[in-house]
Amino acid sequence: MPRTCKICKTKFNPQYNSVQPACSIKCAIEYTNNLKAKKWKVEKKVLKEKLKTTSDYLKELQTVFNQWIRLRDKGNVCISCQKPAKKENAGHYRSVGSSPQLRFEPLNNNLQCEYCNTYLHANLINYRINLIKKIGLDKVEWLEQEHEPKHYSIPELILMKQEYKEKVRQLKR
Ligand SMILES: [Zn+2]
Ligand SMILES: [Zn+2]
């Protein structure tokens, strides 16, 4: 039974065994090298995954979470300056540095323009005024209270990322 060489695609009659993948020594070497490269690619991925730290998982979750915030608030103006955002950010009311417990709290995150978020350091006075209008004083005061520290485990972070990915998919429909 003639076979097609996996490398050069020519038809050939196998000399060694019926599943011989390549027509010649030259093609066989290339075929083996390709396999090794493929295997290394997979191994590298596994290694990288193993070396990931909690902070890597936090960052990945933050990216998906922010994407969800931007989609949830699509069409809204910037929470602080009340103008349409040229570049949309997801802006924290209580910052990640000061309140890491509220890092993934939906009420604490709102669509913000990049100018307010970055250059005006969240433009907090106006953020507060408009956040009260958006979610009510009770919830804003709740955000302003002290919150129990949160320690996410890696499986928890992976799960949360999956949940927010699903939420993003739903909003994109
Ligand atoms: Zn060949
Ligand atoms: Zn703004």
Side-chain angles (χ1 to χ4, degrees):
M1 274 282 269
R3 292 177 56 81
T4 307
C5 173
K6 295 242 198 258
I7 298 299
C8 70
K9 309 290 175 213
T10 53
K11 295 247 184 260
F12 70 100
N13 288 310
Q15 283 173 278
Y16 305 103
N17 57 57
S18 61
V19 291
Q20 190 183 326
C23 67
S24 61
I25 300 283
K26 189 176 156 276
C27 284
I29 290 170
E30 198 177 328
Y31 179 73
T32 312
N33 287 341
N34 286 354
L35 270 189
K36 277 187 199 153
K38 253 189 219 159
K39 215 178 138 208
W40 171 234
K41 229 178 144 183
V42 174
E43 280 168 359
K44 213 163 57 179
K45 219 179 153 187
V46 172
L47 262 177
K48 262 191 175 168
E49 202 64 35
K50 275 188 189 157
L51 289 173
K52 265 200 223 162
T53 61
T54 304
S55 112
D56 293 324
Y57 285 103
L58 277 169
K59 260 184 239 157
E60 284 181 9
L61 172 59
Q62 189 78 68
T63 304
V64 180
F65 179 81
N66 288 356
Q67 196 187 1
W68 174 70
I69 292 290
R70 290 194 304 269
L71 282 168
R72 183 198 67 185
D73 290 358
K74 195 106 204 117
N76 289 9
V77 288
C78 164
I79 188 79
S80 297
C81 68
Q82 298 286 293
K83 288 180 210 147
K86 256 187 223 151
K87 189 147 194 289
E88 296 176 338
N89 283 189
H92 286 89
Y93 176 57
R94 306 281 311 268
S95 73
V96 176
S98 74
S99 308
Q101 311 92 312
L102 297 173
R103 185 170 181 167
F104 303 112
E105 166 54 53
L107 293 174
N108 190 45
N109 287 273
N110 295 275
L111 186 88
Q112 199 171 39
C113 73
E114 182 148 282
Y115 186 73
C116 285
N117 189 24
T118 309
Y119 296 98
L120 301 181
H121 307 288
N123 193 355
L124 280 177
I125 293 171
N126 291 315
Y127 199 143
R128 187 173 196 275
I129 292 168
N130 296 310
L131 191 59
I132 292 170
K133 287 183 195 153
K134 187 178 176 184
I135 65 172
L137 182 62
D138 285 357
K139 282 176 182 152
V140 173
E141 284 183 336
W142 174 77
L143 287 174
E144 288 165 347
Q145 287 168 14
E146 277 309 305
H147 293 264
E148 285 291 307
K150 262 186 191 156
H151 299 285
Y152 298 107
S153 67
I154 287 176
E156 250 179 310
L157 291 170
I158 292 173
L159 222 79
M160 283 169 77
K161 187 179 149 193
Q162 279 170 358
E163 280 167 20
Y164 278 103
K165 260 192 168 166
E166 182 50 39
K167 283 178 184 235
V168 164
R169 237 194 312 273
Q170 281 170 2
L171 284 184
K172 272 186 174 169
R173 260 184 228 145

